[in-house]
Amino acid sequence: MSILVTRPSPAGEQLVSRLRALGQVAWSFPLIEFSPGRELSALADQMNTLQEGDLLFALSQHAVEFAHAQLQQQGLAWPDDPRYFAIGRTTALALHTVSGADVRYPLDREISEVLLQLPELQTIAGKRALILRGNGGRELLGETLRERGADVTFVECYQRCAKHYDGAQEAMRWHARGINTLVVTSGEMLQQLWSLIPLWYRENWLLRCRLLVVSERLANLARELGWQDIRIADNADNDALLRALQ
């Protein structure tokens, strides 16, 4: 098995070094990188409006990292009043580390649908909900919280930008290295990879690789794009990806 990991830095490199330590052949090929979000300057003011029992959500580790850097720069701490929520375990740990708060998160799958099933999110009419996220992303969480009567505000804490590659050159390189397994953790990156690789290599190499994804939704997108050998990891963190690859 020769594995290509498309996760962004540093998670991609961390997974590759763990795979190599286990004797696997693995390479890092990050498809996106991160920069500060356009709404970071509004973060402190938004946090100040949160009162006892209001809700604060972090949708990724990157949202936590960029938000924390912004608060530190302004000499501010995370607020004590709101109840804290995260999309999954890794994000919850990052949020707890910087805020000291008790962070609730879904235990089985790191997706909005499961987060929305938490008992604390069923009766929230009249509460303010502040959602820290990247540019774009799914609207399901915000829409559902609004339907349940919450006053929802998003703060774009970071932007995902596609890294630029010469598709033909990369296709030749990875094909020559015998890559036969791909790790892709978002729909955006899956689409990007498919578009990047020229048609001949896409048909004769890319779509013949085994693909490891992190949700049923991603697996369905992969099938639509033409992949057939698809596995779904039980979570989106490196531990789960490692288990699925072994």
Side-chain angles (χ1 to χ4, degrees):
M1 193 158 65
S2 193
I3 305 161
L4 192 63
V5 176
T6 65
R7 294 205 92 156
S9 299
E13 283 90 345
Q14 287 161 357
L15 180 57
V16 165
S17 59
R18 288 175 69 180
L19 285 164
R20 287 178 174 173
L22 294 167
Q24 299 273 19
V25 179
W27 307 88
S28 176
F29 182 49
L31 290 172
I32 55 176
E33 55 195 350
F34 302 101
S35 59
R38 290 168 297 197
E39 295 165 354
L40 268 179
S41 55
L43 177 67
D45 290 344
Q46 292 292 353
M47 281 189 173
N48 284 337
T49 66
L50 296 175
Q51 296 170 350
E52 187 75 44
D54 282 343
L55 318 167
L56 190 150
F57 294 84
L59 298 193
S60 73
Q61 269 175 284
H62 301 289
V64 175
E65 285 159 18
F66 280 99
H68 187 58
Q70 177 70 20
L71 292 175
Q72 279 189 312
Q73 202 181 324
Q74 293 176 265
L76 300 169
W78 290 78
D80 293 327
D81 291 330
R83 291 185 289 171
Y84 282 76
F85 298 88
I87 194 75
R89 186 177 70 93
T90 313
T91 305
L93 188 61
L95 187 54
H96 170 72
T97 304
V98 295
S99 68
D102 177 32
V103 183
R104 296 280 289 128
Y105 63 95
L107 295 174
D108 48 352
R109 293 200 72 80
E110 304 192 359
I111 51 174
S112 301
E113 285 86 344
V114 186
L115 177 60
L116 284 160
Q117 289 167 13
L118 290 176
E120 298 93 324
L121 297 179
Q122 304 315 306
T123 316
I124 54 170
K127 301 288 185 200
R128 288 186 64 90
L130 183 62
I131 300 177
L132 310 182
R133 65 171 183 177
N135 56 316
R138 301 173 70 201
E139 299 298 333
L140 179 73
L141 179 65
E143 284 171 4
T144 310
L145 295 174
R146 282 195 182 110
E147 282 165 17
R148 294 178 187 176
D151 175 11
V152 177
T153 308
F154 291 100
V155 175
E156 180 197 282
C157 294
Y158 67 98
Q159 290 189 315
R160 289 183 292 269
C161 328
K163 283 176 75 86
H164 293 292
Y165 293 105
D166 178 326
Q169 211 172 350
E170 295 302 330
M172 282 168 68
R173 183 215 311 248
W174 302 122
H175 183 242
R177 283 187 177 165
I179 294 293
N180 57 16
T181 304
L182 309 166
V183 178
V184 183
T185 53
S186 81
E188 175 187 17
M189 290 192 284
L190 190 64
Q191 197 77 57
Q192 194 184 331
L193 182 63
W194 187 91
S195 305
L196 176 69
I197 303 300
L199 183 65
W200 187 89
Y201 280 104
R202 191 189 300 155
E203 290 179 348
N204 291 281
W205 165 66
L206 189 72
L207 293 173
R208 295 184 182 183
C209 289
R210 161 175 288 184
L211 181 66
L212 177 63
V213 295
V214 296
S215 70
E216 191 58 56
R217 196 169 55 87
L218 255 178
N220 289 335
L221 174 61
R223 281 184 205 104
E224 284 167 26
L225 290 172
W227 272 279
Q228 285 168 346
D229 188 357
I230 304 165
R231 287 191 64 174
I232 305 174
D234 56 32
N235 229 319
D237 59 33
N238 279 348
D239 291 342
L241 293 170
L242 207 56
R243 282 196 300 275
L245 286 164
Q246 280 178 281

